[in-house]
Amino acid sequence: GGLGIGQEVLHHSQIHLSKLIDEDPEIELVHFNTTLGLMHRSLDVMMKSSELGDGEHLEILETYRMFAEDRGWITKITEHIHGGLTAEASVKKVYDDTWVRMSQITDPYLKERLHDMRDITDRLLQHLVGETRSSTTEQPDNIIVIARSMGPAELLDYDRHKVQGLILEEGTPTMHVAIIARALNIPVIAQIKDITEKIDSLDNIIVDGESGNIFIRPSEELLGSFSTKLKEREQRQAEYEAIKDKPSVTKDGIKIGLHLNAGLLHDLPLLKETSADGIGLYRTEIPFMSYPEMPDVNIQSNLYKKIIDEAENKPVIFRTLDIGADKMLPYCKDLVEDNPAIGWRSIRITLDRKGVLRSQFRALIRAAQGRELYIMFPMISEVAEFDAAKETLLIELQREKDRNGIIPKKLHVGTMLEVPALAFQLPALLKRVDFISVGSNDLMQFLFASDRGNQRLAMRYDELSPSFLRLLKNIALECSNAGVSCSLCGEMAGNPLKAMALIGLGFRNLSIRGHNFGQIKMMLQSLDVKELELYLDTQLDSIEHSLRPRLHSFAIDHGIVI
């Protein structure tokens, strides 16, 4: 997100190797080890001066630093040096071999780690051949960096105060350079095909991270318009900061719980930054995706304990392993299906592979250390599945008691509601659960039989359609009548207009991404819920494709900040 105006700077990382063979491996080995030590020290200096503040997002750079110390990687390089290659040729050889092997992996998270490896390789090669990263001292004061792809440390080579935006030909929101850029408040737009060939050196560029648009060589009029927009955005950010610690209460006094969606340790500092009420969704599958093999109970337990400790008594709702569909594990080869979104995925896998589920329950119970523990099951389609998962959890709880372990102070067990069939089983389900969290992304695609990854269907159906809103209202109403807490943790909750509708439908807890907090809090503080509820009741029988225009007009007419 964000806006940036500056001049183009093309990021180059290609290293030319002039010598591939050396007849004295011992000298090359000394050269390699000495250079490796220099690179490690330079990374330490970079991490200390990265301006990420109070350790925020440093886990990514620490992981990157560990990559540079990986014994397997170093051993393979030294073997090639002993075989007669120069140090730089050995580094390049190991990288090329690993790239060929890992590029066959379909998992997007692991493929993104290749960018980190390329960054480490380029950095070491530059040290070995005596080159340095291009200095930014002679560059304009405001620059937009253009690259095919980029590792996290490469961005930190640039003067943070000069970089106004980053444009990539490749990339996803979870790639490490995007996360580092977000921490530094640098807007990023990725997946712009052939962008490096379409821009000339020092071209003026506008990066609009809010809309995903790039303007090349804009007119003076457009530059002036975006300069004004940039000042307005800075003013809005200051307003968001001013209300950060104020309660999330509407104009008519209704408290709305605002929780954080998270999936990595570096998301945890956002709890303090946003004054969130807790973590409404912690995605536990990401560590499983990053390990070369299934993480054991101790590895999982240590991680979950860190998360609970970092939360400092705020609730953390752990969603159990949600794999399959677009989230593949490198060590599970039998998950490839023709229609994975509605296939063998999520709780269906772990109920069939109880050992995986039990080890995760065991780790979560041990991590709680006598504190409250919140566990949520994903992709539950019928009450019987919830009962089976909870029974497995209670077996592990009893097992921990029998071994005289420290059990949680209190156990809260809930479920995601993502499958429409479960909405028709609410009377029975609500007698069994402590809370429900609606996953609007999957619920939407299953309700309309519309693959959310299909670009042709991306704009065809609207979350603000009367049919979808009526379904959500019924869910919220039945939960309220049963006295069961109900939240929504999908992308829908992070949009001010959609979040306004959710509150009008009866939702009193929303779980959102950290950078959405300011605008959502400002919206709800300007909202009179009773007025909105009365208006929505008159609209849900509409046969319109979407209520978006009407809700937008309502917000403007009633002074609601969206």
Side-chain angles (χ1 to χ4, degrees):
L3 299 171
I5 302 173
Q7 291 179 280
E8 180 269 357
V9 169
L10 185 62
H11 177 74
H12 293 286
S13 60
Q14 189 66 35
I15 308 298
H16 177 66
L17 304 185
S18 58
K19 187 178 179 184
L20 302 180
I21 306 296
D22 193 274
E23 296 179 356
D24 194 336
E26 294 305 319
I27 292 178
E28 281 299 299
L29 200 57
V30 170
H31 175 45
F32 170 71
N33 288 327
T34 302
T35 305
L36 187 65
L38 287 171
M39 186 186 77
H40 287 164
R41 288 192 288 275
S42 71
L43 286 174
D44 291 337
V45 171
M46 176 188 293
M47 288 171 63
K48 289 177 183 177
S49 60
S50 64
E51 297 187 27
L52 291 175
D54 297 330
E56 178 193 359
H57 300 275
L58 283 179
E59 286 87 354
I60 285 178
L61 293 178
E62 286 166 0
T63 304
Y64 178 92
R65 175 70 161 78
M66 288 169 63
F67 203 158
E69 294 179 320
D70 181 74
R71 297 310 308 169
W73 180 61
I74 294 171
T75 299
K76 288 176 184 176
I77 294 171
T78 56
E79 286 173 353
H80 286 299
I81 293 174
H82 284 299
L85 293 181
T86 61
E88 50 266 36
S90 298
V91 171
K92 186 72 164 54
K93 169 70 172 165
V94 171
Y95 168 75
D96 289 343
D97 291 347
T98 306
W99 181 275
V100 169
R101 187 176 71 254
M102 289 188 68
S103 61
Q104 305 304 313
I105 295 172
T106 57
D107 175 69
Y109 185 87
L110 291 178
K111 290 194 78 155
E112 285 171 8
R113 302 291 73 75
L114 285 172
H115 297 300
D116 298 358
M117 183 182 180
R118 182 189 54 75
D119 187 355
I120 284 285
T121 299
D122 287 348
R123 189 172 297 276
L124 182 53
L125 285 172
Q126 285 178 331
H127 280 278
L128 285 167
V129 301
E131 295 182 12
T132 58
R133 299 272 180 173
S134 56
S135 171
T136 61
T137 54
E138 298 177 2
Q139 292 168 350
D141 290 338
N142 297 306
I143 61 174
I144 304 294
V145 179
I146 313 289
R148 181 164 285 107
S149 65
M150 186 180 273
E154 287 180 293
L155 182 60
L156 297 177
D157 286 319
Y158 291 89
D159 183 337
R160 160 67 193 94
H161 303 288
K162 290 186 175 184
V163 180
Q164 305 302 313
L166 173 63
I167 304 173
L168 302 170
E169 285 194 2
E170 303 171 3
T172 72
T174 58
M175 71 185 302
H176 282 169
V177 71
I179 295 170
I180 293 295
R182 202 173 300 139
L184 295 172
N185 202 29
I186 297 171
V188 184
I189 296 180
Q191 296 186 2
I192 306 299
K193 189 177 179 181
D194 299 328
I195 185 65
T196 55
E197 300 171 11
K198 294 178 179 177
I199 299 180
D200 295 326
S201 180
L202 298 181
D203 268 349
N204 283 326
I205 302 175
I206 295 172
V207 174
D208 185 352
E210 307 299 330
S211 66
N213 289 321
I214 297 166
F215 300 87
I216 303 171
R217 296 182 289 277
S219 65
E220 288 297 324
E221 184 180 0
L222 194 59
L223 274 173
S225 175
F226 269 90
S227 295
T228 301
K229 192 175 179 182
L230 190 59
K231 290 177 183 176
E232 290 173 351
R233 188 178 187 277
E234 291 171 353
Q235 182 179 343
R236 260 199 325 275
Q237 292 296 329
E239 291 171 353
Y240 293 159
E241 185 67 23
I243 65 170
K244 181 184 74 172
D245 296 321
K246 293 184 179 179
S248 304
V249 178
T250 64
K251 277 175 65 176
D252 49 345
I254 295 176
K255 172 75 171 74
I256 306 296
L258 292 184
H259 305 263
L260 188 69
N261 287 342
L264 292 165
L265 273 174
H266 65 253
D267 292 327
L268 272 294
L270 288 170
L271 270 175
K272 288 182 180 178
E273 291 176 29
T274 61
S275 298
D277 295 308
I279 296 178
L281 169 65
Y282 195 92
R283 303 177 178 93
T284 61
E285 59 272 7
I286 293 180
F288 283 81
M289 293 164 66
S290 61
Y291 276 84
E293 58 186 10
M294 187 76 72
D296 62 23
V297 172
N298 287 334
I299 290 174
Q300 291 184 61
S301 182
N302 289 335
L303 173 63
Y304 303 147
K305 184 178 181 299
K306 284 181 183 177
I307 295 162
I308 296 171
D309 290 344
E310 285 283 326
E312 296 181 346
N313 297 318
K314 290 185 176 181
V316 179
I317 297 178
F318 291 96
R319 183 180 68 186
T320 59
L321 189 60
D322 184 16
I323 55 173
D326 59 339
K327 290 172 281 190
M328 307 297 289
L329 303 184
Y331 41 86
C332 293
K333 305 298 183 185
D334 56 349
L335 297 184
V336 178
E337 298 180 286
D338 291 337
N339 199 348
I342 55 174
W344 194 54
R345 57 173 287 203
S346 200
I347 198 70
R348 299 168 181 176
I349 294 176
T350 52
L351 284 177
D352 288 349
R353 300 287 184 268
K354 286 280 183 66
V356 176
L357 192 60
R358 290 185 66 167
S359 67
Q360 186 169 33
F361 287 155
R362 198 172 302 168
L364 285 164
I365 290 168
R366 293 180 185 177
Q369 294 284 301
R371 294 167 288 189
E372 294 192 39
L373 177 62
Y374 296 78
I375 294 178
M376 176 167 67
F377 308 135
M379 196 67 183
I380 294 290
S381 302
E382 57 184 14
V383 173
E385 287 178 334
F386 177 84
D387 286 346
K390 187 172 181 179
E391 181 183 5
T392 306
L393 173 60
L394 295 179
I395 288 171
E396 283 304 317
L397 186 66
Q398 185 60 50
R399 184 179 186 275
E400 194 66 18
K401 287 181 182 178
D402 293 342
R403 68 187 291 271
N404 295 319
I406 303 174
I407 64 169
K409 176 183 175 182
K410 188 174 182 180
L411 182 62
H412 307 263
V413 186
T415 181
M416 296 281 291
L417 200 163
E418 309 164 270
V419 181
L422 196 60
F424 295 96
Q425 304 169 62
L426 278 173
L429 181 67
L430 291 170
K431 295 175 183 177
R432 293 164 161 81
V433 298
D434 296 313
F435 60 90
I436 280 179
S437 185
V438 176
S440 60
N441 301 354
D442 268 336
L443 186 62
M444 175 81 176
Q445 78 164 338
F446 296 145
L447 184 70
F448 287 103
S450 173
D451 180 2
R452 68 187 193 187
N454 188 324
Q455 291 302 309
R456 292 180 178 177
L457 299 176
M459 304 299 292
R460 193 178 190 93
Y461 304 103
D462 195 341
E463 289 162 310
L464 295 177
S465 68
S467 57
F468 192 58
L469 294 181
R470 180 167 289 283
L471 173 61
L472 292 174
K473 181 178 175 65
N474 290 342
I475 293 169
L477 183 60
E478 288 199 53
C479 289
S480 178
N481 290 339
V484 173
S485 173
C486 180
S487 67
L488 190 140
C489 61
E491 291 296 313
M492 186 177 182
N495 176 279
L497 185 67
K498 296 174 184 177
M500 180 192 82
L502 290 170
I503 295 169
L505 295 172
F507 284 86
R508 296 295 177 261
N509 288 285
L510 305 176
S511 192
I512 60 182
R513 290 190 290 177
H515 69 267
N516 297 120
F517 263 76
Q519 52 188 332
I520 298 299
K521 184 174 281 192
M522 187 162 285
M523 177 276 295
L524 68 89
Q525 288 183 351
S526 63
L527 172 66
D528 187 306
V529 178
K530 299 302 179 186
E531 288 181 349
L532 177 60
E533 287 177 337
L534 290 173
Y535 177 72
L536 270 174
D537 283 342
T538 68
Q539 300 298 312
L540 293 183
D541 288 330
S542 169
I543 60 170
E544 296 290 328
H545 168 69
S546 172
L547 296 181
R548 183 182 297 270
R550 298 185 188 185
L551 287 168
H552 191 269
S553 296
F554 178 89
I556 293 174
D557 292 344
H558 291 78
I560 301 167
V561 181
I562 56 170

